[in-house]
Each structure stands twice: as structure tokens, then as C-alpha cells.
Amino acid sequence: MSSTPKYRRVLLKVSGEALMGGQAFGIDIATVDRIAADVKEAKEAGTQHCMVIGGGNIFRGLSAAAKGIDRSTADYMGMLATVMNALAMQAALERIGVESRVQSAIPMSAVCEPYIRRRALRHLEKGRVVIFAAGTGNPFFTTDTAAALRAAEMSCNALLKGTKVDGVYSSDPVKVPTAERYAALSYHDVLARDLKVMDASAVSLSRENKIPIIVFSINDRGALAAVLRGEGRATVIGESA
Ligand code: UDP
């Protein structure tokens, strides 16, 4: 165990789709277990962890709105989907002995704690993983923005964005084999070039609060701990590239 981890406290953002594994929809328990094992390993190195999980594997407000549900209602449904994912992650963490708490931005007292900033900080100090559910609690936002907001509120040293690939590329590396991977980018680059890393409000919020965004692959077992040691493949987004 390292006494001085590179990052004291981080927020890990995982999209809902990352929980699907090979499935087309929903929650693949083996995948959730793998991510939980990664969090456990990274936490044991001495970093405090909080998490935001998306809901796109279950429900996406924008596409439901396009089909006729009014946008705010559809977005509330999307936020509820994130609560299911948070509970799945909590169960996976607790199966491997990692204490965790779910805090929802929409109070749901029979299911989990409401979001209370100071209480979340106490949980983190006690070594618990805090999973923030229901996004920001507001329609017309995304869980990326929720992640940037909670990372700022929790005074996190980094916002880790777990994606399908090991960083930010010049074009989609799945479609363009010659696509270049960036080791570092500035917030300005990401915003000006409209690089699809996180939505613009999440990037702006992180920039204002000087929280670096680290993009890495959530599909590579052990990548999270490696990134937190300052090793491994990732793109670091900060004030200067
Ligand atoms: N959502 C919302 N407000 C928030 C966060 C999420 O309305 O603060 C809704 C929105 O409808 C979104 C859905 O919840 O489509 C799922 O979140 P998101 O699309 O960010 O999940 P991800 O793409 O990360 O899986």
C-alpha cells in the first residue's frame, strides 16, 4: 500500500453502456463485477473514490423524447435508470468487501441516501466508495455534467472518464485505424475542436474548477489503478496540453 498516492480523491465516471458488456441492453453482472474489482484495486492503493454511473444502458431521455414523451419526463426516467445502475455497482462492491453508499440527487429514502455533500465527504474520509445517482437531479443535464459537478463539490483531484478506448483519438479508432491518440490535450482543444470526450458543460465546469479529466479504457482490467499510478495509457485533459 502506497502512503502517498498520486491522487488523494478521484471521481470515476462510467457510462451506462459500459455496464452492458456484450449485451445490447441492461446490466451485465460480470462486467459490473470487473469494474468493481478495478475500483477495489485502485482504492487499496490509497485513493478515495466516488463514482457517477450513466443510464444509457437502460434509458436515454433524448431518444424517448424524440418518440413523444415530453423531454423532462423522459429525463426523469433516465435519472431513475442511473439509480438502478448505482445499486448494481453497490452490490458488486459489497460482494468483494468494499463498503459503499449510494446517494441520489432525487431523494428515494427507502432505497438509498439522499445527496448530502458533507455526509458524502464523511463517507469518503472513512474509506467508503460513494456512488452518486440520479445525475444532477435536473432534466436537460447529463451524467457527464453530474460527474463534473460532484467532482468539484467533493474537491476531487481528478475526474476519470472510463470509456471504450484508451484515450482521446483524432478520429474514431474503431473506424479509422490510423487515428492518432493524444497523450494530453487542453480543455480549450477539447471544446474548440468539439472532441467527443464529455459534453461541453462538463468540460467547462472541470476547467473552471481546475480538475483534470483523465480518459482511459474501462474495459482493460487494471487500467484504472495504472492510470492512478501515473502509468498506463490515457489522455490527460488540463489547462495546457
Ligand atoms: N439525466 C438527466 N439529468 C442529469 C443526468 C441524467 O436528465 O443530471 C437523464 C438524461 O435523460 C440522460 C439519462 O438520464 O439521457 C441517462 O444519463 P446519460 O445519458 O448521461 O448516461 P450515459 O450516456 O453516461 O450512460
Side-chain angles (χ1 to χ4, degrees):
M1 186 190 254
S2 156
S3 53
T4 50
K6 189 169 157 64
Y7 300 97
R8 190 177 77 90
R9 180 180 295 158
V10 297
L11 186 143
L12 170 63
K13 161 74 208 294
V14 182
S15 71
E17 279 175 18
L19 307 192
M20 295 193 306
Q23 298 175 184
F25 174 83
I27 301 171
D28 176 48
I29 299 298
T31 303
V32 180
D33 282 342
R34 182 177 48 74
I35 297 172
D38 267 330
V39 171
K40 179 177 185 175
E41 184 190 2
K43 215 178 84 57
E44 280 170 353
T47 300
Q48 297 175 9
H49 273 264
C50 44
M51 296 179 80
V52 167
I53 308 175
N57 55 324
I58 300 172
F59 197 88
R60 219 176 262 289
L62 209 51
S63 37
K67 291 186 187 125
I69 300 181
D70 77 87
R71 173 73 192 267
S72 300
T73 303
D75 279 345
Y76 280 115
M77 293 168 77
M79 286 183 258
L80 296 181
T82 72
V83 180
M84 288 198 238
N85 286 337
L87 293 176
M89 183 56 69
Q90 178 176 44
L93 286 167
E94 301 218 320
R95 269 197 292 280
I96 53 173
V98 178
E99 253 202 280
S100 67
R101 296 288 186 272
V102 175
Q103 289 202 345
S104 173
I106 299 174
M108 234 176 274
S109 61
V111 173
C112 58
E113 294 181 4
Y115 173 63
I116 299 172
R117 177 177 162 272
R118 295 175 74 103
R119 193 162 177 186
L121 288 167
R122 282 289 291 143
H123 289 318
L124 290 171
E125 281 157 9
K126 287 181 178 170
R128 298 172 184 145
V129 174
V130 182
I131 308 166
F132 298 113
T136 62
N138 302 294
F140 301 98
F141 284 88
T142 64
T143 52
D144 275 358
T145 307
L149 172 65
R150 297 292 185 239
E153 288 185 278
M154 294 297 118
S155 307
C156 287
N157 306 111
L159 167 50
L160 298 160
K161 164 94 177 177
T163 66
K164 279 182 260 182
V165 288
D166 55 0
V168 183
Y169 283 77
S170 52
S171 37
D172 185 348
V174 180
K175 294 183 194 140
V176 185
T178 54
E180 184 196 344
R181 190 179 66 89
Y182 304 110
L185 283 168
S186 67
Y187 301 112
H188 177 79
D189 284 337
V190 175
L191 293 170
R193 289 156 63 186
D194 198 20
L195 296 170
K196 305 283 181 221
V197 182
M198 296 191 99
D199 52 54
S201 39
V203 177
S204 309
L205 202 53
S206 300
R207 178 185 198 166
E208 272 169 40
N209 293 292
K210 300 185 171 49
I211 299 175
I213 302 172
I214 305 177
V215 184
F216 74 103
S217 169
I218 194 72
N219 294 330
D220 298 342
R221 180 74 181 85
L224 175 62
V227 164
L228 290 177
R229 287 193 303 268
E231 301 161 7
R233 287 164 69 85
T235 299
V236 180
I237 302 164
E239 206 46 71
S240 55

